[in-house]
Amino acid sequence: MTTAHPAQRPGRPGYDLDSLLAVTVTVFNDKGYEGTSMEALSQRLGITKSSIYHHVSGKTELLERALARALDALFAVTTERQATSGRHIDRLEYLVRRTAEILVAELPYVTLLLRVRGNTPVERRALARRREFDLFVRDLVVGAAEEGDLRPGIDPALTGRLVFGMLNSLIEWHRPRTGGSAEDLAEAVLRLTFEGMRRR
Amino acid sequence: MTTAHPAQRPGRPGYDLDSLLAVTVTVFNDKGYEGTSMEALSQRLGITKSSIYHHVSGKTELLERALARALDALFAVTTERQATSGRHIDRLEYLVRRTAEILVAELPYVTLLLRVRGNTPVERRALARRREFDLFVRDLVVGAAEEGDLRPGIDPALTGRLVFGMLNSLIEWHRPRTGGSAEDLAEAVLRLTFEGMRRR
């Protein structure tokens, strides 16, 4: 289902932390974090377990670093000028576009993040940060409604979840090589949720 | 994150296949299918492994039966009269409503289905049936476009994925006790994707 980066094929000696993480995340996504042992990881990487411990303290740290990569990218957008000033509907549009870019650019990391279930403290912290992001989205929808840019009767929290649920679904079906660009995907999501598909 | 059915609390002696499956599915959803051993399952159920084997041949059969429950419910809709006759946009609307009902009614089973990754033959068969369902949806969007009911420039396959991606996202955030009804959720999805949120 996933392919290792050509430069990080198992058996190739020598990883830095980034390339180690890149392979680890594909294994976590294939087998699940709980279903992945350090033993299985060392086999897939083609290096010994002690070589892994040279980089990180263990599986927990690998998960934490992988999740941080996705979360940091997503949260960086929430402080950008176009997400924090101007009409709220435009901020929302901007956030959808930038999130699509991050989903496509960081697909394996965001996939891991979106599949976190909360079985460990690291996972629960990631879920808490996801909820923070959801609140940022909800507030944009609230602002857009207050500025009169939305149809009446829109539920802000539900709408935020649905729009980002649609966007996030691309982790399930987007194929990096053959799928559309992040711009095309963002455009499709925005047209569908902002204008609707029905001819009037 | 999930709760056992009150009548099937671990330690309670005696399961039929349905109640066994209900608990199993919550364990699979919590820990992942690969991360769940028969040992862990027997502990959560409060019965011995051989009692489980009295009902099924093993973990694979449990997965297969749980996935079949979700898939059979979803495919049953595709043969209903309102999904197979009338204008295609109305069939699509009907399919969204019925799918929302199934998602809410069979939440743990559909959650399991939507998280399947394809590591085993049973999982790959489930993924193949999901693709069949996606094609049914795509054909409805194609039909609606041909009947002139959609805005121009709609990509049928992408639109189908996005609408059902939005709908399926409810497995991530819907809370059975406190969340809205299936009707309310379907209504929100339909308003957003058919009419759009932007005031015009």
Side-chain angles (χ1 to χ4, degrees):
Chain A
M1 300 295 283
T2 56
T3 50
H5 189 290
Q8 297 142 7
R9 198 164 287 144
R12 184 193 159 92
Y15 286 92
D16 60 17
L17 184 54
D18 272 358
S19 57
L20 182 78
L21 216 51
V23 179
T24 300
V25 167
T26 65
V27 182
F28 284 169
N29 284 336
D30 281 353
K31 302 292 178 191
Y33 171 67
E34 311 237 348
T36 305
S37 63
M38 285 298 279
E39 184 58 39
L41 212 48
S42 90
Q43 279 173 25
R44 176 84 162 255
L45 287 158
I47 59 178
T48 61
K49 278 197 274 184
S50 64
S51 304
I52 304 178
Y53 289 119
H54 174 71
H55 294 282
V56 290
S57 59
K59 211 173 82 158
T60 305
E61 188 182 337
L62 286 166
L63 178 68
E64 192 158 28
R65 285 181 181 273
L67 293 174
R69 178 155 161 170
L71 284 164
D72 291 350
L74 290 168
F75 272 92
V77 180
T78 66
T79 62
E80 288 174 16
R81 189 182 50 76
Q82 284 157 286
T84 52
S85 63
R87 290 188 84 81
H88 283 77
I89 187 127
D90 297 327
R91 300 187 203 181
L92 185 61
E93 181 174 331
Y94 181 75
L95 192 67
V96 168
R97 287 189 196 282
R98 292 283 288 117
T99 301
E101 280 174 29
I102 292 163
L103 280 167
V104 170
E106 308 286 348
L107 195 60
Y109 298 91
V110 182
T111 299
L112 184 69
L113 174 64
L114 294 176
R115 287 182 180 162
V116 151
R117 300 197 182 97
N119 287 323
T120 63
V122 167
E123 291 173 86
R124 284 190 286 275
R125 279 198 296 277
L127 287 176
R129 292 194 74 196
R130 283 192 59 191
R131 280 192 293 274
E132 246 183 274
F133 189 87
D134 291 347
L135 291 179
F136 183 83
V137 172
R138 185 203 61 188
D139 289 348
L140 292 186
V141 183
V142 169
E146 285 171 357
E147 287 166 359
D149 288 328
L150 301 190
R151 291 171 182 274
I154 291 276
D155 175 327
L158 180 57
T159 300
R161 282 197 196 100
L162 290 173
V163 173
F164 279 78
M166 175 185 278
L167 197 53
N168 291 341
S169 77
L170 76 83
I171 68 161
E172 303 297 340
W173 46 261
H174 179 64
R175 295 288 161 267
R177 278 171 236 279
T178 54
S181 67
E183 286 86 346
D184 291 345
L185 291 166
E187 202 55 44
V189 169
L190 287 167
R191 284 176 69 182
L192 205 49
T193 57
F194 279 43
E195 316 302 337
M197 71 171 103
R198 198 196 286 269
R199 169 174 259 153
R200 73 201 70 241
Chain B
M1 303 295 283
T2 56
T3 50
H5 189 290
Q8 295 142 7
R9 198 163 288 144
R12 185 193 156 92
Y15 286 93
D16 59 17
L17 184 54
D18 272 358
S19 57
L20 182 77
L21 216 52
V23 179
T24 300
V25 167
T26 65
V27 182
F28 285 170
N29 284 335
D30 281 352
K31 304 290 178 192
Y33 172 66
E34 311 237 350
T36 304
S37 64
M38 285 299 277
E39 183 58 39
L41 212 49
S42 90
Q43 278 173 24
R44 176 86 160 253
L45 287 158
I47 58 176
T48 61
K49 279 197 274 184
S50 65
S51 303
I52 304 177
Y53 289 119
H54 174 71
H55 294 282
V56 290
S57 59
K59 211 172 82 158
T60 305
E61 188 183 336
L62 286 167
L63 178 68
E64 190 157 30
R65 285 181 180 274
L67 293 174
R69 178 155 160 170
L71 284 163
D72 291 349
L74 290 167
F75 272 92
V77 180
T78 66
T79 62
E80 288 173 16
R81 189 183 49 78
Q82 285 157 283
T84 51
S85 63
R87 291 188 83 81
H88 283 78
I89 187 129
D90 297 328
R91 299 187 204 181
L92 185 60
E93 181 174 333
Y94 181 75
L95 192 67
V96 168
R97 286 188 197 282
R98 291 284 287 116
T99 302
E101 279 173 30
I102 292 163
L103 280 167
V104 170
E106 307 287 347
L107 195 60
Y109 298 90
V110 183
T111 299
L112 184 69
L113 174 65
L114 294 176
R115 287 183 180 159
V116 151
R117 301 196 181 98
N119 288 322
T120 64
V122 167
E123 291 174 85
R124 284 190 286 276
R125 279 198 296 277
L127 287 176
R129 292 195 73 196
R130 281 191 59 190
R131 281 192 293 274
E132 246 182 273
F133 189 87
D134 291 348
L135 291 178
F136 184 84
V137 173
R138 185 204 61 189
D139 289 348
L140 292 186
V141 183
V142 169
E146 285 171 359
E147 287 165 358
D149 288 327
L150 301 189
R151 291 169 180 276
I154 290 276
D155 174 328
L158 180 57
T159 300
R161 281 197 197 101
L162 290 173
V163 173
F164 279 77
M166 176 184 277
L167 197 54
N168 291 342
S169 76
L170 76 82
I171 66 161
E172 303 297 340
W173 46 261
H174 180 63
R175 295 290 161 265
R177 277 172 236 279
T178 55
S181 68
E183 287 85 346
D184 291 344
L185 292 166
E187 201 55 44
V189 169
L190 287 168
R191 285 176 68 184
L192 206 48
T193 58
F194 279 43
E195 315 302 337
M197 70 170 105
R198 198 197 287 270
R199 168 173 261 153
R200 74 199 69 240

